């Protein structure tokens, strides 16, 4: 086994001169003020070893990474009928595009673009008030991370609600096609709040560890999903987790991953570890610029790509 802490230290040292590159997600006002110089990275192996570097214990807005957890919940509640409402194909379009949605009858391509995650939020809302559904999401993420301190940042949620006009358009569009069953404002309330979860790199790596360990959290021994479902969620992360940059991420990194416009990326090395990196500056696809590069360096130095060693 490679010296994982040394690898993280080296990656941090090599990227330090480039901290601040990329553009923060300034279209969400609260995120516009995040220090672009921040960089954190945490890696937790399936046997429980924790390695971290930089700002790994500072909470940040996980944004679209939360879509992995709401998809897991929707599959738990609705099983394979989930796919009647959302597809499993890469979009090839921007994460907030409405054009594809119109051409395809209001059914989003996958659960990780905004329209798809809004449809998943509608599924999670089934049988609940919005407040209950949001509480259920928070409890589930706390369960995964084994950490009851995880909370939603209300300032980020309010910021998204105040400026989320395009997401409102997507939701209304799907409602017009009969693809949402709850009132649009209720669905958007759930969506905006789960995207506003604040977590550290270490908490997020812990929460994603079940995907590296066949559906069971190896640190608690608690089963989350079946091994088949964990494998399939990983497959969707690999093919769809970085919007229209998913192919590039698979080519360069070769690990299932999910990014968020808060600058975080959760990556999974099946059978080995879960990794989170946070660097707020984004590339033109809306993925962390230095975070993607850090994971490329990690995969090359560990040989963890699912396609084989470098």
């Amino acid at each position: 086994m490679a010296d994982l802490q040394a690898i993280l230290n080296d990656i941090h040292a090599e990227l330090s001169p480039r901290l601040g590159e990329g553009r923060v997600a300034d279209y969400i006002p609260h995120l516009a003020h995040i220090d672009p110089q921040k960089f954190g990275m945490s890696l937790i192996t399936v046997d429980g070893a924790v390695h971290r570097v930089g700002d790994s214990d500072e909470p940040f807005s996980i944004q679209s990474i939360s879509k992995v957890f709401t998809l897991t919940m929707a599959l738990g509640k609705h099983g394979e009928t989930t796919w009647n409402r959302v597809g499993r194909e890469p979009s090839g379009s921007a994460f907030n595009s409405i054009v594809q949605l119109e051409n395809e009858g209001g059914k989003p391509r996958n659960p990780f673009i905004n329209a798809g995650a809004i449809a998943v939020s509608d599924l999670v809302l089934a049988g609940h008030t919005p407040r209950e559904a949001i509480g259920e999401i928070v409890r589930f993420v706390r369960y995964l991370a084994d950490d009851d301190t995880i909370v939603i940042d209300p300032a980020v949620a309010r910021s998204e609600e105040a400026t989320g006009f395009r997401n409102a358009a997507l939701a209304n569009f799907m409602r017009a096609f009969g693809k949402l069953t709850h009132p649009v404002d209720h669905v958007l309330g759930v969506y905006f709040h789960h995207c506003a979860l604040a977590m550290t790199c270490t908490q997020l790596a812990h929460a994603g560890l079940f995907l590296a360990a066949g559906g069971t959290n190896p640190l608690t021994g608690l089963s989350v999903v079946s091994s088949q479902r964990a494998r399939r969620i990983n497959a969707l992360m690999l093919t769809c987790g970085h919007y229209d940059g998913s192919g590039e991420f698979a080519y360069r990194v070769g690990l299932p991953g999910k990014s968020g416009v808060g600058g975080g990326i959760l990556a999974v090395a099946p059978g080995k570890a879960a990794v989170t990196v946070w660097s707020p500056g984004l590339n033109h696809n809306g993925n962390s610029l230095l975070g993607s590069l850090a994971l490329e360096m990690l995969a090359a130095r560990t040989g963890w790509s699912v396609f084989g060693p470098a």
Side-chain angles (χ1 to χ4, degrees), residues 259-275:
S259 66
V261 296
I265 302 175
L266 169 65
V268 176
K272 298 180 176 67
V275 189

Side-chain angles (χ1 to χ4, degrees), residues 23 105 131 170 181 209 211 231 252 304:
R23 180 176 178 179
R131 182 181 294 275
L170 292 169
T181 60
L209 196 57
L211 293 171
R231 186 172 70 249
R252 293 190 175 278
W304 282 355

Side-chain angles (χ1 to χ4, degrees), residues 26-275:
D26 52 9
Y27 64 91
I28 299 174
H30 197 75
L31 297 185
H33 306 296
I34 301 299
D35 182 358
Q37 298 282 331
K38 294 290 184 180
F39 181 94
M41 195 168 185
S42 290
L43 183 157
I44 305 179
T45 61
V46 293
D47 61 3
V50 180
H51 307 278
R52 52 194 174 208
V53 72
D55 302 304
S56 59
D57 289 320
E58 180 174 333
F60 65 93
S61 186
I62 72 168
Q63 293 293 309
S64 288
I65 302 172
S66 65
K67 297 171 184 177
V68 173
F69 308 127
T70 52
L71 173 63
T72 303
M73 293 177 66
L75 288 168
K77 292 181 72 167
H78 302 279
E80 291 300 297
T81 63
T82 298
W83 307 119
N84 296 333
R85 302 278 295 278
V86 61
R88 298 190 296 266
E89 296 295 332
S91 67
S93 300
F95 60 84
N96 56 3
S97 173
I98 200 169
V99 175
Q100 196 170 59
L101 197 60
E102 180 170 18
N103 289 338
E104 298 181 359
K107 182 177 180 179
R109 274 284 181 98
N110 67 69
F112 295 147
I113 55 175
N114 287 19
I118 291 168
V120 168
S121 295
D122 187 58
L123 291 170
V124 171
L125 187 52
H128 295 294
T129 66
R131 182 181 294 275
E132 290 168 344
I134 293 164
E136 189 177 59
I137 293 166
V138 173
R139 283 191 296 274
F140 181 59
V141 173
R142 288 176 172 176
Y143 167 77
L144 294 177
D146 194 25
D147 190 333
D148 287 340
T149 68
I150 295 167
V151 295
I152 288 170
D153 186 330
V156 173
R158 286 193 300 270
S159 187
E160 295 203 52
E161 285 177 324
T163 59
F165 304 116
R166 189 179 292 245
N167 287 320
L170 292 169
N172 278 290
F173 211 77
M174 287 188 287
R175 178 80 177 192
F177 275 103
K179 301 299 184 183
L180 296 184
T181 60
H182 298 89
V184 165
D185 60 328
H186 290 189
V187 179
L188 287 174
V190 173
Y191 174 74
F192 289 139
H193 278 79
H194 76 67
C195 286
L197 277 162
M199 298 175 69
T200 69
C201 290
T202 304
Q203 289 171 329
L204 195 47
H206 194 165
L209 196 57
F210 76 99
L211 293 171
T216 296
N217 184 330
L219 305 189
T220 63
L222 298 173
S223 177
V224 181
V225 297
S226 67
S227 59
Q228 180 189 66
R229 184 161 289 167
R231 186 172 70 249
R232 288 178 169 175
I233 294 171
N234 281 333
L236 286 166
M237 291 171 69
L238 182 71
T239 57
C240 308
H242 286 75
Y243 313 120
D244 48 334
S246 297
E248 182 74 5
F249 189 83
Y251 177 80
R252 293 190 175 278
V253 180
L255 293 174
K258 183 69 197 85
S259 66
V261 296
I265 302 175
L266 169 65
V268 176
K272 298 180 176 67
V275 189

